[in-house]
Amino acid sequence: MLDRSLNSEAAARDAAPAAATPVGWATSLRPVAYPDAVAAMEARALAIAEDRAGELVWLLEHPPLYSAGVSAKPTDLLQPERFPVFASARGGQYTYHGPGQRVAYVMLDLRRRGRDVGAFVRALEDWIIGALAQFNVEGQIRQGRVGVWVERKTPGLPTREDKIAAIGVKLRRWVSFHGISLNVEPDLSHFEGIVPCGIQEHGVTSLVDLGLPVSMDEADAALKASFERVFGATEEADTPV
């Protein structure tokens, strides 16, 4: 992927011009089964494309599972019996979803936001980086490695780079679905059943693993504030399921 370096409010606004109508912001309080979420996303994306519904960001958690994006390699599924495995239309490779991880499914109308896929992905990255900054965590982007990364510095040891957030989106008729996942407090051992996003030489981390006792509600508030800075205003909405 291209080098991502949107770290200012002006750059974020240029990359993702706000739509005139606030984006719906919905949060599911109970875990949502992956097939139910995908069906609801696809239905909502179609309704947006047909001008029957407004844009929506849907926050949720899933039961433990692995999903395989369109570029997934079978050899990267190390423990196929550990959790259910679902094929996904999103970009990317294998990823894990489960309790303690905030998934944000993003159904935005790029017809109203510039029809620029690269700028859209950069805006998603800037959204995550801005949310992390509210906890004094410096999220970083690495060329050729999708997602958001943090440096782990231990005296006397080489600097480590661990992934804290993943990005995997799909566009259909210029409407996005799927989205991002931010590790708040998942069981990091669950990632051992896959090669996350096809990258073997780096690990994964979470806000709590970094020593920050962040609750899901606090993570949600940070995500919302950063989203509004990057993409525009939101309003409370009902969940799709």
Side-chain angles (χ1 to χ4, degrees):
M1 293 185 66
L2 299 175
D3 185 24
R4 313 303 189 190
S5 58
L6 289 184
N7 292 306
S8 71
E9 293 188 12
R13 286 194 300 268
D14 291 343
T21 304
V23 176
W25 190 269
T27 305
S28 289
L29 301 181
R30 296 180 181 178
V32 179
Y34 190 77
D36 294 343
V38 172
M41 272 193 294
E42 291 189 345
R44 181 62 175 246
L46 177 60
I48 294 169
E50 295 178 346
D51 297 320
R52 295 184 287 107
E55 296 179 308
L56 181 69
V57 174
W58 181 18
L59 305 186
L60 53 81
E61 293 173 87
H62 284 304
L65 64 93
Y66 298 128
S67 74
V70 295
S71 301
K73 301 175 183 177
T75 53
D76 286 345
L77 180 59
L78 306 178
Q79 300 175 16
E81 305 301 323
R82 186 166 187 177
F83 298 124
V85 181
F86 298 95
S88 173
R90 63 166 173 79
Q93 302 185 44
Y94 278 103
T95 194
Y96 165 77
H97 294 311
Q101 181 191 72
R102 176 52 85 209
V103 174
Y105 288 135
V106 183
M107 289 151 273
L108 297 182
D109 189 348
L110 269 64
R111 296 172 300 177
R112 305 175 184 179
R113 295 177 178 272
R115 295 180 186 252
D116 187 329
V117 177
F120 176 57
V121 173
R122 290 191 293 272
L124 293 175
E125 293 167 341
D126 192 56
W127 171 25
I128 299 168
I129 289 169
L132 292 173
Q134 295 178 56
F135 304 108
N136 295 316
V137 174
E138 183 182 358
Q140 300 182 5
I141 304 305
R142 292 291 181 264
Q143 187 171 0
R145 283 193 256 141
V146 181
V148 177
W149 301 77
V150 295
E151 292 187 347
R152 311 288 299 274
K153 297 180 180 180
T154 302
L157 296 175
T159 297
R160 258 175 55 195
E161 292 183 352
D162 288 345
K163 192 172 193 175
I164 195 167
I167 298 173
V169 293
K170 173 75 173 178
L171 295 180
R172 187 174 293 159
R173 294 172 61 177
W174 287 104
V175 176
S176 68
F177 55 108
H178 294 281
I180 71 166
S181 58
L182 173 64
N183 295 333
V184 181
E185 192 180 8
D187 185 337
L188 295 179
S189 72
H190 289 179
F191 286 88
E192 295 171 2
I194 56 173
V195 178
C197 300
I199 300 171
Q200 300 187 44
E201 62 272 24
H202 299 283
V204 292
T205 190
S206 68
L207 288 167
V208 171
D209 184 53
L210 292 173
L212 301 167
V214 177
S215 69
M216 193 64 77
D217 287 345
E218 290 169 330
D220 288 351
L223 283 168
K224 186 175 183 180
S226 184
F227 181 92
E228 291 183 337
R229 177 183 64 84
V230 175
F231 290 99
T234 65
E235 62 182 5
E236 294 302 310
D238 293 332
T239 61
V241 293

